[in-house]
Amino acid sequence: MAQNPSGKSGPQAKKQGKSGVKASTVVTLGTIGVIALAVIGACAADDDDYEEINADCVDLGNQLPDGSYEVVDEDYCDDGYHGSRGAYGWYYGGLLAGTRVSKGTSVKPSDVSIVSRNGTVIQRGGFGGRGGSGG
């Protein structure tokens, strides 16, 4: 009995194509790739649908008698800042009146876009991390 060039005979030789990969495997992998791209695209499009809130850098260790905080330069809230005093942090969603902010929270909300009043992106659509844009 003669064998084909792939060294296989009978039904196995007929199931495989010229490259040795089954057509159903190629179709399945192609379909998975298309679905993955669709999911990534949908997630990227949803990023624009998040509510945007403002954040102010304040000294959280120095709450004023009226419950507000004095707004300080946002450089104090940088991850790399190691000042000798104060417990600086972001105050989210507060009402700004002059140089004071109140009625917000120091708890970082999720699933929102957070931007400082100077335009620095602190969080995009619920994903953590601080980006350096704006000025």
Side-chain angles (χ1 to χ4, degrees):
M1 179 172 180
Q3 289 187 342
N4 66 13
S6 68
K8 296 184 180 180
S9 62
Q12 288 181 340
K14 291 180 183 178
K15 285 184 182 177
Q16 292 185 343
K18 292 179 183 177
S19 66
V21 178
K22 292 183 179 183
S24 62
T25 303
V26 172
V27 171
T28 302
L29 292 176
T31 304
I32 291 171
V34 169
I35 292 171
L37 286 175
V39 169
I40 291 169
C43 290
D46 284 346
D47 193 37
D48 296 336
D49 295 338
Y50 288 100
E51 177 185 358
E52 183 175 295
I53 64 168
N54 288 321
D56 297 285
C57 183
V58 300
D59 182 354
L60 293 169
N62 187 23
Q63 187 173 24
L64 302 172
D66 64 357
S68 67
Y69 294 94
E70 189 75 29
V71 176
V72 298
D73 189 292
E74 68 182 55
D75 287 342
Y76 291 115
C77 289
D78 279 345
D79 292 335
Y81 179 77
H82 299 289
S84 60
R85 64 175 190 85
Y88 299 105
W90 292 107
Y91 192 71
Y92 308 100
L95 298 174
L96 185 65
T99 60
R100 294 181 178 190
V101 64
S102 62
K103 299 184 181 175
T105 180
S106 60
V107 178
K108 187 175 189 176
S110 62
D111 297 332
V112 295
S113 294
I114 303 172
V115 180
S116 75
R117 304 231 189 229
N118 290 337
T120 302
V121 175
I122 299 166
Q123 174 176 296
R124 291 191 187 274
F127 299 107
R130 179 160 188 246
S133 66

